[in-house]
Amino acid sequence: MSAPHRFDPNFTDNVINAMGPKTTPRFRQLMTGLIRHVHDFARENEVTVDEWMAAVKFMNWAGQMSDDKRNEGQLVTDVIGLESLVDEITYTLAAEAQDAPTATAILGPFFRADTPIRANGESIVRTPAPGGEMAYMHGRVVDHATKAPLVDATVEVWQASTNGLYEQQDPEQEEFNLRGKFRTDAEGRYAFYCLRPTPYPVPDDGPAGKLLELMDRHPFRPAHIHIIATYEGYKPLTTQIFDRKDPYLTNDSVFAVKDSLIVDFVERKGDPQAGLELQYDVKLAPAPASASS
């Protein structure tokens, strides 16, 4: 004779079955899995009302801190590896369907949709960065299969300053410091001056930092530059590139590093604006016909 259930064995099915006939198949699949996993987690760990309320307050805290310059809710998912896992799943599905283009990486919480367009060869360093090393970053945006240049593609970049802060976190930095959008020329080339990136800690003034503290984990992200590349008829690319010499490559606090995204800064001679150089080509894949039509 089986032991009696401690908790209502029909409760989870009742919640799932409450979804109506107008629920789309994909949304039903996602919500069914989510509800089952969350309910099983609660039962297996015997979550109490006090613990559940603490979690609700934690989520509310993330929402209250989020705005168009900082996405704290996204940062919380970053430090538990969820965004990087979803990125891995998405990239793997795309790679299975065709030869892999440039690898993707997470967007991160400090993206700004209003970044201005700058001229090729311009510097994104608008506020001096103590201890910073200037670098000239350049490359081409190409079709990943044919290597044909993509003319007038958009390359958007952003990075933190040497004090570990993005410009919207730091009133001492000029607005849009270390950010820029660039258009590729007739040969698919882009170029700009930037800083050699430096590692920095996840902000500790919100729930993501608190979560890292509770898990007894370090907060540091390896040195990186964010990139979004877009071209009509091609799948947009969101990625990050990482300095090979960074000590946090193997233990990124948000688990975003991929081997193919590790880059080498080299000496640049004869340029009074920068002592370092980075050549980095971006390879985009055509969008599926249904997505581009």
Side-chain angles (χ1 to χ4, degrees):
M1 183 175 179
S2 60
H5 292 278
R6 294 184 65 209
F7 308 109
D8 181 355
N10 301 313
F11 181 79
T12 298
D13 284 338
N14 289 340
V15 174
I16 292 170
N17 292 335
M19 285 186 282
K22 293 182 181 178
T23 307
T24 64
R26 177 60 173 167
F27 192 67
R28 184 183 298 275
Q29 177 188 0
L30 293 171
M31 288 307 301
T32 296
L34 176 63
I35 292 167
R36 286 201 186 281
H37 282 294
V38 170
H39 284 207
D40 285 345
F41 171 84
R43 280 188 289 262
E44 289 168 7
N45 292 281
E46 298 186 0
V47 175
T48 66
V49 169
D50 287 345
E51 291 168 333
W52 169 73
M53 280 304 302
V56 170
K57 290 179 181 178
F58 190 85
M59 290 189 295
N60 289 344
W61 183 17
Q64 290 158 1
M65 288 193 67
S66 297
D67 55 27
D68 61 350
K69 294 183 178 181
R70 173 174 175 175
N71 191 330
E72 186 69 17
Q74 187 168 2
L75 188 56
V76 169
T77 70
D78 287 349
V79 300
I80 62 171
L82 182 57
E83 187 178 4
S84 288
L85 175 59
V86 171
D87 172 70
E88 180 191 12
I89 292 168
T90 303
Y91 181 72
T92 298
L93 291 173
E96 289 173 349
Q98 57 189 329
D99 292 336
T102 296
T104 55
I106 63 175
L107 178 67
F110 296 108
F111 168 72
R112 290 189 64 171
D114 53 351
T115 295
I117 293 177
R118 305 192 191 280
N120 264 332
E122 193 175 345
S123 176
I124 64 172
V125 183
R126 323 300 281 192
T127 301
E133 296 181 87
M134 289 293 295
Y136 182 70
M137 180 170 167
H138 63 100
R140 300 167 71 226
V141 180
V142 299
D143 181 293
H144 81 103
T146 68
K147 304 303 183 288
L150 301 181
V151 179
D152 204 33
T154 298
V155 178
E156 180 171 356
V157 298
W158 67 103
Q159 63 178 145
S161 190
T162 52
N163 64 358
L165 299 175
Y166 290 88
E167 51 85 18
Q168 69 264 59
Q169 300 173 276
D170 184 2
E172 299 302 316
Q173 294 184 43
E174 179 181 322
E175 188 166 21
F176 301 114
N177 182 47
L178 298 171
R179 295 178 184 271
K181 285 182 183 177
F182 300 87
R183 303 280 192 184
T184 58
D185 65 14
E187 297 181 7
R189 298 175 300 188
Y190 72 91
F192 59 90
Y193 289 92
C194 62
L195 294 175
R196 182 179 198 160
T198 50
Y200 64 84
V202 168
D204 63 1
D205 59 343
K210 182 64 175 179
L211 188 57
L212 285 171
E213 178 187 348
L214 291 170
M215 293 188 292
D216 190 26
R217 284 175 42 199
H218 79 76
F220 281 92
R221 294 230 51 220
H224 62 278
I225 298 173
H226 292 266
I227 300 173
I228 293 179
T230 57
Y231 187 72
E232 185 177 358
Y234 283 70
K235 295 178 64 175
L237 173 73
T238 300
T239 195
Q240 302 177 24
I241 52 175
F242 301 89
D243 188 344
R244 188 179 304 278
K245 293 186 177 180
D246 191 274
Y248 294 101
L249 285 180
T250 58
N251 58 352
D252 179 7
S253 63
V254 303
F255 310 98
V257 179
K258 296 183 176 75
D259 288 346
S260 64
L261 298 177
I262 297 173
V263 299
D264 294 288
F265 289 82
V266 299
E267 182 182 3
R268 181 172 174 83
K269 298 180 180 179
D271 186 343
Q273 287 188 255
L276 295 171
E277 180 176 348
L278 173 64
Q279 181 173 351
Y280 189 76
D281 290 346
V282 177
K283 305 175 184 67
L284 298 183
S290 58
S292 59
S293 58

